[in-house]
Amino acid sequence: MSTDTHSPPDPTPTPPSTPSRIASVDTYRGAVMLLMMAEVLELRRVAGSIPDESAWHSTWQWLSFHQSHVEWGGWHSVHDMIQPSFSFLVGVALPFSLAGRLRRGESLRFATLHAAWRALLLIALGVFLRSIGGKMTNFTFEDTLSQIGLGYFPLFLLGLARPRARWIALGTILVGYWAAFALYPAPGSDFSYKDVGVPADWSGHLATGFAAHWNKNSNLAWAFDRWFLNLFPRERPFQFNRGGYATLSFIPTLGTMILGLIAGGWLRGEGRPKEEMTAGGRLGRLFLAGVVCAALGLALDRLGICPIVKRIWTPSWVLFSGGICFGVLGLLYALIDLTGYQGWTYPLRVIGRNSIAAYVLAHLIGDFVQGSFKTHLGQGVFERWGEPYEPLAAGAAVLAVYWLILFWMDRRKIYLKV
């Protein structure tokens, strides 16, 4: 990792016609990372402790719902959008990063080598964080950082290509990945889901007919991992992932990043041969792409062609979640960059500009921070809020420390990059 610097935040309105750094992108990334870090609030525990007769019971149930992932098919919560948003924004940032490197005089060869190195570091960092507390290295590649790392180098190459090549690559990935799953044999009536970690009371989540090709721990990606992950040293042979997540999901995740790459190109004003795209043109394209992608993904699911399954990143999920990402980015772009008023976004941009640091903090120091509060302020420091709210108070304290560390880094222009 290395440190990099950015100019300090400018509270004054900035013209939208020639964007150099898009505040809405940092804000969106910051909101996504905040949602991820906010898992320390443990809203499910809080909701489970609130009596049913309480006036706040339904509110806490709703908050808890949106801090959980859908079990398999479909989409149901804000939390489901964290990983696709983060992946999408990697693509959005690439055109700006690449343009900046070339503008500073870096050779294309050096930039390409750096992209390959960055991909390897992201994969390694994902494996490292997944291995914390284990007896040996946990070689799995389904986490967010490893998935992005596995697709980052081809994304970089597409960043150098013409926009048409990006669309062709996206189509090839989506159609090819769908076909690979469709051609792999669906589980038969004698398939034992119990042997691959699917509980007996989970039958409501298992599809029949054509959609069964995408059932949990019985699909192409699961079969690949039964071979691939056992090439690495392990405590015991890999049989299945309890959540159904898979290494091969990096391929459609690359599709999500390509959608972001397309959006980033539009934000930079690409798309017209002789003149820069107007701000209104950028906004229009983002919203149109959002509607088309979301509708197409939903149609593929409803027509039974390809189910929306986040955990194995089906092509319909790429399109549906990508459409939401286009829409959210467009809305933030209109509210922040087109109005020019960015000051209110600073707390989120503090996180968004340092997303790698935020990710690492959330995976490394949570228990240490909470333990430190108890050591120095008393073991019952969080109990004074009442038993139901104790995990919420503890999580809020940890979350505040995360932000203060990122604020300190931002004030000193320290930005962790790989």
Side-chain angles (χ1 to χ4, degrees), residues 196-247:
V196 292
V198 180
D201 60 354
W202 218 67
S203 58
H205 299 281
L206 297 174
T208 58
F210 184 66
H213 288 275
W214 289 271
N215 275 350
K216 183 177 180 179
N217 291 340
S218 58
N219 54 63
L220 172 67
W222 162 78
F224 174 83
D225 274 347
R226 297 241 304 184
W227 164 75
F228 177 66
L229 294 181
N230 284 311
L231 298 177
F232 298 89
R234 325 191 66 81
E235 287 189 67
R236 61 183 65 88
F238 176 85
Q239 296 296 324
F240 57 86
N241 181 289
R242 292 193 178 277
Y245 300 102
T247 303

Side-chain angles (χ1 to χ4, degrees), residues 73-75 294-308 316 320:
W75 169 75
L296 185 55
L298 193 60
L300 291 173
D301 178 78
R302 294 294 186 263
L303 294 173
I305 298 172
C306 180
I308 289 177
S316 53
F320 181 74

Side-chain angles (χ1 to χ4, degrees), residues 374 378-391 393-394:
K374 292 182 177 180
Q379 293 298 309
V381 61
F382 302 117
E383 296 176 2
R384 66 188 64 180
W385 297 93
E387 183 178 349
Y389 299 105
E390 181 182 352

Side-chain angles (χ1 to χ4, degrees), residues 6 68 230 405:
H6 297 292
S68 64
N230 284 311
I405 292 173

Side-chain angles (χ1 to χ4, degrees), residues 147-226:
Q147 290 280 292
I148 291 172
L150 287 167
Y152 186 79
F153 189 69
L155 179 75
F156 173 84
L157 296 179
L158 287 169
L160 300 175
R162 295 177 180 273
R164 181 182 178 185
R166 301 167 189 174
W167 287 107
I168 293 173
L170 176 64
T172 301
I173 287 170
L174 297 183
V175 174
Y177 201 70
W178 171 85
F181 270 69
L183 292 173
Y184 182 81
S189 58
D190 59 342
F191 185 85
S192 175
Y193 281 100
K194 180 181 178 181
D195 291 344
V196 292
V198 180
D201 60 354
W202 218 67
S203 58
H205 299 281
L206 297 174
T208 58
F210 184 66
H213 288 275
W214 289 271
N215 275 350
K216 183 177 180 179
N217 291 340
S218 58
N219 54 63
L220 172 67
W222 162 78
F224 174 83
D225 274 347
R226 297 241 304 184

Side-chain angles (χ1 to χ4, degrees), residues 37-327:
M37 294 190 299
E39 290 178 359
V40 296
L41 298 177
E42 297 191 73
L43 298 181
R44 179 172 292 186
R45 282 184 59 191
V46 176
S49 301
I50 302 297
D52 293 348
E53 61 273 13
S54 170
W56 292 98
H57 177 76
S58 59
T59 299
W60 285 110
Q61 290 294 324
W62 183 83
L63 290 172
S64 172
F65 175 82
H66 282 287
Q67 203 178 58
S68 64
H69 290 301
V70 64
E71 289 198 67
W72 197 249
W75 169 75
H76 75 182
S77 75
V78 172
H79 222 59
D80 285 329
M81 285 302 301
I82 291 178
Q83 188 172 349
S85 293
F86 193 56
S87 303
F88 180 85
L89 290 167
V90 170
V92 173
L94 183 59
F96 295 91
S97 173
L98 182 57
R101 287 181 174 279
L102 297 179
R103 187 170 56 247
R104 292 193 297 268
E106 290 186 9
S107 68
L108 186 58
R109 180 174 179 270
F110 180 84
T112 303
L113 290 174
H114 179 268
W117 175 243
R118 186 182 196 200
L120 291 173
L121 282 180
L122 286 169
I123 297 169
L125 183 57
V127 172
F128 170 77
L129 293 175
R130 285 285 183 181
S131 304
I132 293 173
K135 296 180 180 179
M136 61 183 298
T137 304
N138 182 20
F139 286 102
T140 59
F141 306 93
E142 81 284 353
D143 65 283
T144 301
L145 291 186
S146 293
Q147 290 280 292
I148 291 172
L150 287 167
Y152 186 79
F153 189 69
L155 179 75
F156 173 84
L157 296 179
L158 287 169
L160 300 175
R162 295 177 180 273
R164 181 182 178 185
R166 301 167 189 174
W167 287 107
I168 293 173
L170 176 64
T172 301
I173 287 170
L174 297 183
V175 174
Y177 201 70
W178 171 85
F181 270 69
L183 292 173
Y184 182 81
S189 58
D190 59 342
F191 185 85
S192 175
Y193 281 100
K194 180 181 178 181
D195 291 344
V196 292
V198 180
D201 60 354
W202 218 67
S203 58
H205 299 281
L206 297 174
T208 58
F210 184 66
H213 288 275
W214 289 271
N215 275 350
K216 183 177 180 179
N217 291 340
S218 58
N219 54 63
L220 172 67
W222 162 78
F224 174 83
D225 274 347
R226 297 241 304 184
W227 164 75
F228 177 66
L229 294 181
N230 284 311
L231 298 177
F232 298 89
R234 325 191 66 81
E235 287 189 67
R236 61 183 65 88
F238 176 85
Q239 296 296 324
F240 57 86
N241 181 289
R242 292 193 178 277
Y245 300 102
T247 303
L248 282 183
S249 294
F250 85 88
I251 298 174
T253 296
L254 174 58
T256 301
M257 292 193 289
I258 292 173
L259 289 175
L261 180 64
I262 292 168
W266 291 343
L267 288 178
R268 285 201 69 243
E270 298 174 3
R272 290 187 178 183
K274 294 183 179 180
E275 59 180 325
E276 183 182 3
M277 191 190 306
T278 64
R282 298 181 197 121
L283 185 61
R285 288 195 179 196
L286 290 174
F287 281 136
L288 179 60
V291 171
V292 171
C293 285
L296 185 55
L298 193 60
L300 291 173
D301 178 78
R302 294 294 186 263
L303 294 173
I305 298 172
C306 180
I308 289 177
V309 185
K310 173 192 175 292
R311 294 187 184 226
I312 52 174
W313 223 266
T314 56
S316 53
W317 171 249
V318 173
L319 292 169
F320 181 74
S321 63
I324 295 175
C325 292
F326 272 120

